Amino acid sequence: MFSHYSGALPDMTLPPPPLLPTDAALFLDFDGCLVEIAPRPDAVVVTQALRDRLAALQDRQGGALALISGRDVADLRGHLGGFSGMIAGSHGSELSPAPGRIDTLHSVGVDAAALHAEAHALAAPHPAILVEEKPHGVALHYRDDPSLQGFVEQTIQDMAARHPHLMLQPAKMAMELRPGGVGKDSALAHLMTLPPYAGRIPVFAGDDTTDEPAMAEAQSRGGFAIKVGDGATAARYRLADPSALAAWLDASLT
């Protein structure tokens, strides 16, 4: 029987999660989950407390900790400094068991430079749009001007028509093109076949629609998922924001 974290509920529809079992495999999203979403992807604040928390969790879970993010691996490692654990980046397109190694998990041919140039040219009339260049795709962010949502959605749809080997990925205040055939769910499923994750209870925490498939995957394997923030979700548990998730993780560490 799990004991439960007693943090405050953001609403009355979902309870807070049980404390993290020591035999769990813990999978965490980054933006909106471990850190607050920033106006620009490069403006997120990563505290020493977060770095220490990840190191402590990695030790407590016997190494069965991984970050599963839409960001690319190199970007995440740059923000997280000395984090030595597993990272699945670019929505499952990349896997990095340790610093200095990045494996590609898809077979889609992507001319990233041409894709980035096309996105920059299309976004040029609207300086508020941020073009995020990724090794396996591109994202257009409209957080600085939400009125541009329609333009961004149409632009990405038009690009997708010209690049049928890529798929559309909606996100919070952004639209992305990325390789098909992979996702955060497939990344979690792959990791669960590997030591030290195999045989453990999968637990996934995320905040966005991009995280929902991984939440469903964790729960289909007998684990549980945590929705960070508001919005409809497949998860059985909810925490209000990244600070509430941090408090839950810290409570699990004590």
Side-chain angles (χ1 to χ4, degrees), residues 55-146:
L57 287 165
Q58 192 173 13
D59 182 62
R60 180 185 188 267
Q61 303 307 122
L65 167 69
L67 306 186
I68 302 181
S69 174
R71 286 186 185 244
D72 64 87
V73 167
D75 182 49
L76 281 171
R77 292 231 182 261
H79 282 292
L80 289 168
F83 179 67
S84 61
M86 180 77 74
I87 297 177
S90 297
H91 301 284
S93 295
E94 302 176 300
L95 190 66
S96 174
R101 176 180 169 184
I102 302 176
D103 300 326
T104 298
L105 296 184
H106 70 88
S107 58
V108 177
V110 180
D111 186 341
L115 193 68
H116 299 162
E118 181 181 352
H120 279 290
L122 292 169
H126 300 285
I129 295 174
L130 173 66
V131 178
E132 184 183 4
E133 299 180 357
K134 298 191 175 190
H136 304 274
V138 68
L140 299 182
H141 297 257
Y142 53 89
R143 184 171 298 275
D144 283 350
D145 186 351

Side-chain angles (χ1 to χ4, degrees), residues 156-214:
I156 285 288
Q157 289 170 10
D158 292 344
M159 290 181 68
R162 293 190 290 273
H163 302 275
H165 54 297
L166 300 177
M167 66 173 286
L168 287 167
Q169 179 64 72
K172 285 185 176 178
M173 310 294 281
M175 292 289 290
E176 181 174 348
L177 281 180
R178 66 175 181 84
V182 292
K184 292 185 179 183
D185 53 341
S186 65
L188 188 152
H190 176 67
L191 289 172
M192 288 298 295
T193 69
L194 306 176
Y197 310 94
R200 289 176 173 261
I201 301 165
V203 175
F204 182 89
D207 73 303
D208 203 349
T209 55
T210 61
D211 300 309
E212 291 296 320

Side-chain angles (χ1 to χ4, degrees), residues 4-5 8-10 14-21 24-29 31-34 172 188 202-209 211-212 214-219 223-242 244-249 252:
H4 279 259
Y5 171 62
L9 287 171
L14 291 174
L19 293 175
L20 181 69
L26 179 60
F27 304 103
L28 298 168
D29 181 36
D31 293 280
C33 187
L34 289 178
K172 285 185 176 178
L188 188 152
V203 175
F204 182 89
D207 73 303
D208 203 349
T209 55
D211 300 309
E212 291 296 320
M215 292 178 184
E217 182 69 27
Q219 293 180 161
F224 64 86
I226 304 162
K227 172 74 170 183
V228 180
D230 58 11
T233 183
R236 292 195 292 268
Y237 303 109
R238 190 189 302 271
L239 291 168
D241 50 34
L245 179 70
W248 173 74
L249 292 170
S252 296

